[in-house]
Amino acid sequence: MKLSILIDSVLIVTSITLLPGIGGVQIATNNSGEPIAINSNDLSTHSNKVSYLKPFDAAFLAYQGNLKAQGIPSGSASVFQYQTGNLTALNVVKAAVNAKKLPAQALNDKDYLNTVESQLTLSDSTNNLSY
């Protein structure tokens, strides 16, 4: 019982701490309002990676209900949908693209999708702890 209270407390504190930063995320857009990817080479680095909203933040947006308008349930409903196979990382990323939180290039970024999948799995395993 104490473990579940501790975990719930940590999740609540984390949610409160991260929510303002996630809610205020600024996405780079072109003149037509479409999100664009920022190539990290433009940031004076030597990587070919493209920068997006962090995968944790994408999964967290879904969990917090910020993608409800795109058909992604929030909270334990999203965890249940993931457990039953009705919600995937691709669904979350598509919803984030439709919400203009991510550029469309994220849909083809296997590393990004795999990391979002890992975040969803982590949410699933956290919710499966016995009380």
Side-chain angles (χ1 to χ4, degrees):
M1 185 66 150
K2 290 181 183 180
L3 178 62
S4 67
I5 293 171
L6 175 65
I7 291 171
D8 289 344
S9 298
V10 168
L11 289 174
I12 290 170
V13 170
T14 303
S15 299
I16 292 170
T17 303
L18 296 176
L19 193 57
I22 294 171
V25 169
Q26 296 292 318
I27 305 298
T29 59
N30 61 18
N31 290 336
S32 65
E34 293 296 315
I36 57 172
I38 301 169
N39 188 326
S40 57
N41 286 335
D42 297 338
L43 302 174
S44 300
T45 64
H46 298 291
S47 171
N48 289 328
K49 295 277 184 188
V50 175
S51 298
Y52 307 124
L53 180 67
K54 292 178 184 174
F56 169 83
D57 294 340
F60 193 70
L61 282 172
Y63 186 81
Q64 288 297 313
N66 292 316
L67 300 177
K68 273 188 172 180
Q70 288 72 33
I72 304 295
S74 64
S76 60
S78 66
V79 173
F80 177 75
Q81 291 296 316
Y82 178 74
Q83 289 171 336
T84 59
N86 295 322
L87 179 67
T88 66
L90 184 59
N91 298 132
V92 171
V93 172
K94 279 182 183 177
V97 167
N98 291 338
K100 300 198 183 305
K101 300 289 185 184
L102 283 173
Q105 294 94 322
L107 294 168
N108 299 320
D109 186 335
K110 298 295 182 198
D111 290 335
Y112 190 82
L113 290 169
N114 288 337
T115 306
V116 171
E117 184 78 27
S118 296
Q119 293 300 322
L120 293 172
T121 301
L122 183 60
S123 295
D124 176 31
S125 64
T126 302
N127 251 5
N128 282 335
L129 294 175
S130 61
Y131 293 93

